[in-house]
Amino acid sequence: MNRIICHLFFVAILCLGVGCTKILDIEPNDRVSPEDLFASKEGVEAQMANLYGRLPIEDFNYSPNRGFNIGVGSDVNNAGFMAAHFSDEAIHPEYNDFGEEWFDYWEDGYRLIRDINILLQTVPQLASIDQAAKDKLNAEAYFLRAYTYFALAKRYGGVPLIESPQEYNGNIAELKVPRNTEKETWDFILADCDRATELFGEVENGPRRADKWVALALKSRAALFAASIAKFSHQPYVSFSGPAVDQGLVGIETKFADTYYDQCIAASDALMKSGKFALYQAEPASPEEAAENYRQFFQQPDQYLNGVREPIFIKSYATNTVLAHNYDVWFSPRQMVLDPNLYPGRMNPTLDFVDAFEDYTDDGTGKVKPLKTRADGNENDYNGFNLGTNYIAYPQNAPYKIAEGRDARLRAMVLFPGETWGSTQIIIQGGLVKANGSGFYYRTQTSEVGQDGQTYYTFGAARSTQYSGFDPTLGHYTRSGFLFKKFMQIDHPVEQAWERSTQSWIDFRYGEILLNYAEAVVEKSSPTGAESQTAKEALNNLRRRAAHTDQIALTQQNVRKERFVELAFENKRRWDLVRWRTFHKSFENRVRKGLVPFLDLRSNPARYIFVRVNPLGIEAKTFDYLWYYKDIPGTSANGLIQNP
């Protein structure tokens, strides 16, 4: 709480929650009167800013190992961990944590719920505002409460549902609220979304505050999650047992899956038919244009908020304040961040992710195509460089051509060796093949004279500030062979210092809604013909935005693949693997993969070849199916039944 209390303009509302009577001398001394709190527009705005600011949005400042709003102010050193590091999207260049003991959210959630409930209790007492203003405040409160309970439910299953502020009257036992069932919890979240939608009416608040459309977007996401729990938590290999299972605190009966899928479909359909939202640049003329459109959209989403828009709900930031973020420090290439007190290069997309993209064969199958590294087509060898293998060679000045002809979104999100960052060519190289063919160097800095008489280096340059890959001495260099573009301020560089990044986080966007609709239809037991046709169009519209020209079938495999590539690094992937109950199958003694560029000096001019590897220091990881529900903290004191 100390971090929050330091924000002085939030003190009044915090005192409602924790009784800070020494800070404000108010009579009666255990609460602020409604009229004092809401005596001015500024008071209302400060209160709402407080609640919105504490929402559990998994954004730029969310760190799985430390929580929400981390990485700002003096609290920057979360080592650059993001949710993508704990899935198949990325690895970290320094650490090998998998972090299932992380991703907690409990005490802060219930503090926020208490303050939201106080708001709901307070609004009817306000004499200074009319009923329309009260309805709007209540609508926002219901949305905020639904959002907060969603963050709890996807971690813990059924949780205590508290609808009004609790008062301590000397009996601690009266404050102990038992857990509701998981079904009751999801039903409560969806009901709060409905309450918010109804009270908002047609009032629009824009993308930075909730309105009817934002509430529907939350319902679309939450209903899909609940449906997945009902459909997939009964797989024979996910066999939980114990009191939490017996009492329905985890899991939902399969018979309710379609009910939740229908709610997702209805909420998504309302957004799709509203005419207010659309894909940004939905009809590109070429893959190159599609890649640039997608990159620009995430680099500066605030430019695209007028008229029909893709962002539905965004979070904004302000430079050089605790409201800024540090993505451009953590994730820029090493060559772009030379200050020894900063820690760049920390998002290394995996080869697993890169290989998940299609090319532009456009044969209607949607089949992914691994990068081509060998003449024999064997793309399953991860044993490292072999002098006897016939590798496919790529130009020395353009090693990035290995990704040529692949889905535009890949080049928009992933920085390949030899590409430029502004005017700087980014050097990613981890190996050197001797000119006489007698051997090679791998991740050991040395030099070799090529057949052209030039001196070449293992890492592509002589000094550590001149390259961005594979150097094992510091955690600033990619060890997967790839670096990160999505969200990054390449065209509008920020000062390389903490608290300088201000690109907005898109929490809900139209692209996700299309995917939610498509998934709900394909998973529903008996969708209508109209639903199936609309879902197929939604799926293929996203692919058209990526410059594909074919129409792929509406299948579970295609929908899940499209979610992987379209929503990458938006903190969705890990939760998708959780709700589908596929995480433990996807991560069963699994090593995430990398791709090492070797400069082959056996030819003149030298050429780049690529070698599939198990990156050094990246150990095999296994996800235990008991991790689908997190441990509830403090059960010895709060009396709650623990998860399996």
Side-chain angles (χ1 to χ4, degrees):
M1 290 296 289
N2 290 338
R3 184 175 74 250
I4 300 173
I5 292 175
C6 287
H7 302 175
L8 295 180
F9 63 97
F10 292 155
V11 165
I13 188 61
L14 285 170
C15 290
L16 286 170
V18 298
C20 313
T21 55
K22 293 183 179 179
I23 298 177
L24 294 179
D25 185 13
I26 297 173
E27 295 295 331
N29 65 6
D30 66 341
R31 70 186 61 217
V32 182
S33 74
E35 292 304 331
D36 287 340
L37 183 61
F38 291 96
S40 66
K41 179 181 179 181
E42 291 74 19
V44 174
E45 292 300 324
Q47 155 70 331
M48 297 309 295
N50 172 27
L51 299 180
Y52 275 94
R54 292 159 59 197
L55 268 185
I57 298 175
E58 296 178 15
D59 61 354
F60 295 123
N61 286 329
Y62 172 62
S63 178
N65 59 326
R66 298 182 66 184
F68 298 90
N69 295 315
I70 300 298
V72 297
S74 61
D75 199 11
V76 297
N77 194 19
N78 69 337
F81 280 121
M82 300 297 164
H85 292 116
F86 305 102
S87 71
D88 45 4
E89 292 174 305
I91 58 177
H92 195 283
E94 184 175 8
Y95 301 104
N96 191 35
D97 301 68
F98 199 56
E100 192 43 46
E101 68 276 14
W102 298 347
F103 294 91
D104 293 323
Y105 181 67
W106 186 265
E107 289 88 351
D108 286 347
Y110 276 102
R111 290 189 187 104
L112 179 54
I113 287 167
R114 174 177 172 80
D115 288 347
I116 294 168
N117 284 336
I118 288 172
L119 174 62
L120 286 167
Q121 184 183 69
T122 299
V123 168
Q125 306 173 44
L126 299 177
S128 58
I129 61 175
D130 61 21
Q131 189 58 47
K134 291 180 180 180
D135 287 346
K136 182 174 178 295
L137 285 173
N138 280 329
E140 291 190 88
Y142 285 128
F143 164 78
L144 295 167
R145 191 170 70 179
Y147 198 110
T148 307
Y149 269 118
F150 176 55
L152 292 166
K154 69 182 183 179
R155 289 168 168 82
Y156 303 102
V159 298
L161 298 176
I162 302 173
E163 299 186 57
S164 59
Q166 294 177 288
E167 299 293 341
Y168 177 57
N169 297 315
N171 184 352
I172 193 69
E174 293 180 358
L175 299 180
K176 295 182 178 181
V177 179
R179 294 176 65 181
N180 288 75
T181 68
E182 180 156 13
K183 183 179 186 302
E184 289 169 343
T185 302
W186 288 108
D187 288 345
F188 183 80
I189 293 165
L190 298 174
D192 265 1
C193 290
D194 289 340
R195 295 183 186 104
T197 301
E198 181 179 357
L199 286 170
F200 275 127
E202 299 307 312
V203 173
E204 295 190 19
N205 286 333
R208 294 180 178 84
R209 282 180 73 163
D211 57 18
K212 168 184 177 179
W213 309 112
V214 178
L216 284 168
L218 175 59
K219 185 175 183 182
S220 170
R221 184 185 292 176
L224 185 62
F225 206 111
S228 300
I229 299 302
K231 182 168 183 177
F232 299 117
S233 63
H234 306 281
Q235 304 285 359
Y237 48 79
V238 185
S239 52
F240 300 118
S241 62
V245 176
D246 297 339
Q247 297 182 32
L249 307 180
V250 296
I252 303 174
E253 291 183 75
T254 307
K255 66 182 181 181
F256 295 111
D258 279 356
T259 299
Y260 293 120
Y261 284 129
D262 279 334
Q263 291 190 67
C264 174
I265 290 168
S268 304
D269 189 59
L271 286 157
M272 292 160 65
K273 290 179 177 175
S274 69
K276 299 179 181 298
F277 307 100
L279 293 175
Y280 173 68
Q281 300 289 29
E283 298 287 340
S286 66
E288 293 73 22
E289 181 181 310
E292 186 62 9
N293 290 342
Y294 190 89
R295 187 186 70 82
Q296 290 277 2
F297 174 62
F298 288 99
Q299 177 183 244
Q300 289 287 336
D302 294 274
Q303 297 182 34
Y304 313 116
L305 299 180
N306 296 322
V308 178
R309 64 181 196 264
E310 182 163 353
I312 298 172
F313 185 52
I314 68 171
K315 182 176 179 179
S316 296
Y317 303 83
T319 188
N320 204 26
T321 72
V322 295
L323 300 179
H325 63 87
N326 294 304
Y327 250 53
D328 292 284
V329 168
W330 288 124
F331 303 139
S332 291
R334 168 61 169 156
Q335 289 167 253
M336 308 307 298
V337 182
L338 304 181
D339 187 331
N341 296 311
L342 302 177
Y343 310 96
R346 301 212 151 205
M347 186 75 82
N348 303 170
T350 63
L351 179 57
D352 317 57
F353 172 68
V354 171
D355 275 345
F357 286 78
E358 299 174 52
D359 64 13
Y360 283 102
T361 304
D362 283 348
D363 57 7
T365 66
K367 185 178 180 180
V368 302
K369 305 289 177 63
L371 294 179
K372 295 179 179 179
T373 66
R374 299 163 54 126
D376 63 7
N378 179 8
E379 302 298 348
N380 296 307
D381 183 355
Y382 294 92
N383 293 314
F385 177 77
N386 188 321
L387 281 169
T389 298
N390 184 11
Y391 294 97
I392 298 173
Y394 294 91
Q396 182 181 356
N397 64 348
Y400 52 81
K401 284 186 175 293
I402 191 173
E404 200 167 52
R406 294 172 67 80
D407 188 305
R409 290 168 291 189
L410 177 61
R411 293 288 292 277
M413 289 188 275
V414 175
L415 182 71
F416 281 80
E419 289 191 310
T420 58
W421 190 280
S423 60
T424 302
Q425 184 181 43
I426 301 303
I427 298 173
I428 300 174
Q429 181 184 313
L432 196 65
V433 184
K434 293 183 178 182
N436 63 10
S438 63
F440 64 95
Y441 305 103
Y442 173 47
R443 289 195 71 179
T444 299
Q445 179 66 306
T446 188
S447 63
E448 176 83 4
V449 177
Q451 294 183 18
D452 58 0
Q454 299 293 316
T455 299
Y456 296 94
Y457 298 88
T458 307
F459 297 129
R463 295 194 300 274
S464 62
T465 56
Q466 295 175 314
Y467 54 79
S468 297
F470 295 103
D471 190 325
T473 59
L474 292 170
H476 304 332
Y477 303 89
T478 177
R479 55 178 166 178
S480 73
F482 308 103
L483 284 165
F484 185 60
K485 282 185 185 176
K486 194 170 184 177
F487 314 111
M488 304 298 287
Q489 297 278 39
I490 299 174
D491 300 335
H492 311 281
V494 300
E495 179 187 356
Q496 292 300 321
W498 301 119
E499 303 173 348
R500 297 299 187 272
S501 296
T502 59
Q503 58 269 47
S504 292
W505 176 262
I506 306 174
D507 192 30
F508 294 106
R509 65 181 176 96
Y510 189 65
E512 180 193 349
I513 300 304
L514 295 180
L515 287 167
N516 292 351
Y517 186 98
E519 182 181 337
V521 171
V522 81
E523 298 292 359
K524 182 180 171 182
S525 60
S526 299
T528 68
E531 288 173 340
S532 295
Q533 181 59 35
T534 300
K536 181 179 179 180
E537 291 173 359
L539 182 68
N540 283 290
N541 285 345
L542 277 165
R543 299 178 73 260
R544 174 64 193 132
R545 197 256 293 272
H548 290 281
T549 58
D550 62 340
Q551 295 278 311
I552 61 172
L554 180 70
T555 65
Q556 182 190 80
Q557 181 180 356
N558 283 341
V559 170
R560 291 185 178 186
K561 183 265 298 180
E562 194 63 31
R563 283 188 73 91
F564 191 21
V565 302
E566 173 67 26
L567 303 178
F569 307 105
E570 296 179 43
N571 295 338
K572 307 291 192 302
R573 176 64 173 176
R574 187 183 179 281
W575 292 116
D576 283 349
L577 295 176
V578 166
R579 65 184 177 83
W580 294 331
R581 297 301 193 246
T582 59
F583 213 148
H584 70 291
K585 289 294 186 181
S586 297
F587 279 84
E588 191 171 7
N589 201 36
R590 175 179 177 177
V591 178
R592 290 164 288 178
K593 307 301 183 181
L595 190 71
V596 180
F598 279 70
L599 187 61
D600 190 348
L601 302 180
R602 292 175 295 184
S603 63
N604 186 14
R607 305 288 296 274
Y608 270 105
I609 60 175
F610 290 85
V611 180
R612 292 173 176 268
V613 298
N614 294 318
L616 292 180
I618 296 296
E619 301 169 356
K621 295 298 181 183
T622 295
F623 184 96
D624 191 310
Y625 67 75
L626 290 174
W627 293 348
Y628 285 121
Y629 291 101
K630 296 193 63 60
D631 287 348
I632 292 176
T635 53
S636 60
N638 59 35
L640 296 178
I641 294 173
Q642 186 56 277
N643 278 329

